[in-house]
Amino acid sequence: ADQRALQRLLGRDNVALVLALRAAGAGAGAPTMLVANTHIHWNPQMCDVKLVQVAFLLEVVEELAAEHGTAPDRPAPVVICGDFNLTPTSGAFELLANGAVAADHSDFAPPVSGDDAVDREWHHTQLAMLQDTRGPIDDDNTDSALATGGGESKSESKSESDDADSSSLNAKFVYGAYTRDGIQHRLDLLSAYAPLGHPFTNYTADFVGALDYIWYSAKTLRVTRVLEPVDEDAVRLTCLPSPFAGSDHTPIAAEICLR
């Protein structure tokens, strides 16, 4: 990673805890389950930081699952839960749900990163790259050109050289192999609340949506029931926190069993 990316990432104090659990009274050969709990950074402008934090967590969990598995091809089942501060449209959510995120994912280049100097530099670099490949772009069309990839609409597809130029400048903050090769994991996770459409877990005057999740190993675990979501009518007038609910997040819970 470059120095600015490291400063951006290491300046956060978010943590995760991973426990290896075995049924009480079970012998040494009994299956182990991993349960991780985390709190991911909150700032929406730092979607790249959120993505990298989740990638770090998944790498550790995948390594521990292999270590505590019953065979090389049978890793320990995993539950990962917490306040992820992620919406279902984010790159980190995509990584958790689909097992991969491309190196050129937009979350590596947040439109407003919170670092004005980096945003200006990125804007000028992208514009210069487009001018090299598309020709001069009028100042009045700068924003639309950056959004669409050129000053004029063209029917022909991008050339291989265009793709190479784009991939080499896909990230405002360079995170080594993550922004070069993308991110993958093999945990095969499902969200316990996916069948309910991920109801809101945060309700404020500025935001209503899901930020908290319970992920579990799809092949070795199953969810038998979940805690019923909070009714929106109960919080619409007061938002959260309120005199009746001391947290700005609603509780979630799931009963999970081995298959």
Side-chain angles (χ1 to χ4, degrees), residues 2 19 21 29 31 35 54 57 59 71 75 78 87 116 161 164 224 249 253-254:
D2 64 23
L19 299 177
L21 303 177
V35 179
V54 170
L57 172 60
E59 285 183 5
V78 166
T87 64
D116 292 341
S161 61
T224 56
H249 290 248

Side-chain angles (χ1 to χ4, degrees), residues 166-231:
S166 297
S167 64
S168 66
L169 292 169
N170 65 65
K172 284 185 178 180
F173 302 91
V174 177
Y175 291 100
Y178 291 168
T179 46
R180 185 181 63 247
D181 307 321
I183 312 172
Q184 301 85 33
H185 72 85
R186 295 174 294 176
L187 292 171
D188 194 13
L189 301 172
L190 290 177
S191 169
Y193 278 82
L196 300 182
H198 295 110
F200 72 85
T201 64
N202 182 242
Y203 201 108
T204 69
D206 302 320
F207 175 82
V208 178
L211 296 176
D212 307 81
Y213 306 94
I214 300 171
W215 299 89
Y216 65 96
S217 298
K219 294 180 180 178
T220 50
L221 299 175
R222 64 184 179 91
V223 173
T224 56
R225 56 180 176 169
V226 298
L227 181 66
E228 184 177 357
V230 172
D231 190 336

Side-chain angles (χ1 to χ4, degrees), residues 51-116:
L51 179 51
V52 173
Q53 287 183 340
V54 170
F56 283 173
L57 172 60
L58 293 174
E59 285 183 5
V60 171
V61 170
E62 187 168 355
E63 181 179 334
L64 290 173
E67 178 183 334
H68 290 277
T70 56
D73 60 342
R74 298 189 65 185
V78 166
V79 175
I80 306 175
C81 50
D83 176 3
F84 287 84
N85 278 311
L86 307 171
T87 64
T89 60
S90 66
F93 185 98
E94 179 181 334
L95 175 61
L96 285 157
N98 299 337
V101 159
D104 61 352
H105 194 281
S106 59
D107 277 9
F108 284 127
V112 180
S113 71
D115 189 323
D116 292 341

